[in-house]
Amino acid sequence: MLAFSSIAAHAESVALAGMLGSKALLVVDGSAPKSVAAGETHQGVKVISTSGDQAVIEQAGKRVTLRVGEAPVSMGASGGGGGRGTRIVLTAGTGGHFMTPGQINGKAAQFMVDTGATSIAMSGADATRVGINFKNGQPVNMSTANGITQGFRVKLNSVRIGDVEVFDVDAVVTPQAMPFMLLGNSFLTRFQMTRENDQMTLVKRY
């Protein structure tokens, strides 16, 4: 019970990745999606009801409605609304990777933290989906497993995770398919990063 309470207290953000029948696929603090039926609880987040592409969840008396594909909602007490938060808490998922849903220019995105990436990186398909006209960007040569290919350097108006939002973030778009976007140092260097066991905390510096 003590361990469960500790986990529940750290549920900072919750997103709805999809629906599996009447079960909600919840992503809590960037962890792998978990199917949760109405009345069940996952990491301190209880599913109250599901309908279509929506789910009503509750944590610590706070009840919100999630919709598939929308940015995660903040369930913790850190920061305020409207993108004015200053703290992001991520929990390592399968394989030790830090995954998190977020938004680019107001459109839903799925990130994997990559401290070895110079900037945010995404595929052309993802760039198109979030409304980036990347072919107007600066052409760059990119080294891949299949040799040198041409990508494009672009500037993102905004990148948001939970209630934390930063502006004018550099990114590169590659023609290769990618399972998710890489959250690289053009975003990460704006934060003070600390890691303890399987939890990463990012505190906004500017």
Side-chain angles (χ1 to χ4, degrees), residues 11 13 31 38 48 75-76 82 97 118 157 168 172 184 186 190 194-195:
S13 67
S31 62
I48 303 300
M75 300 297 289
H97 297 298
T118 303
N157 293 333
D168 296 325
V172 292
S186 59
R190 301 198 188 186
T194 57
R195 179 172 177 178

Side-chain angles (χ1 to χ4, degrees), residues 122 134-135 137-144 148-154 171-176:
M122 70 188 77
F134 62 90
K135 290 185 178 179
Q138 177 187 350
V140 292
N141 288 329
M142 304 181 67
S143 179
T144 70
I148 301 296
T149 185
Q150 187 182 71
F152 295 88
R153 182 175 287 119
V154 298
V172 292
V173 179
T174 172
Q176 289 189 315

Side-chain angles (χ1 to χ4, degrees), residues 111-196:
F111 295 108
M112 183 181 81
V113 174
D114 186 352
T115 56
T118 303
S119 63
I120 288 177
M122 70 188 77
S123 68
D126 275 333
T128 299
R129 183 179 57 78
V130 298
I132 299 170
N133 189 5
F134 62 90
K135 290 185 178 179
N136 286 342
Q138 177 187 350
V140 292
N141 288 329
M142 304 181 67
S143 179
T144 70
N146 297 320
I148 301 296
T149 185
Q150 187 182 71
F152 295 88
R153 182 175 287 119
V154 298
K155 184 79 76 172
L156 306 177
N157 293 333
S158 70
V159 178
R160 177 170 175 154
I161 295 176
D163 60 358
V164 180
E165 188 170 20
V166 296
F167 302 93
D168 296 325
V169 183
D170 288 330
V172 292
V173 179
T174 172
Q176 289 189 315
M178 297 172 62
F180 32 68
M181 301 182 188
L182 300 181
L183 194 64
N185 288 321
S186 59
F187 180 88
L188 298 173
T189 54
R190 301 198 188 186
F191 296 81
Q192 178 68 43
M193 182 189 304
T194 57
R195 179 172 177 178
E196 185 174 350

Side-chain angles (χ1 to χ4, degrees), residues 42-59:
H42 173 54
Q43 293 191 27
V45 179
K46 183 176 182 179
V47 175
I48 303 300
S49 63
T50 61
S51 175
D53 65 346
Q54 298 182 67
V56 178
I57 62 167
E58 183 180 84
Q59 182 193 31

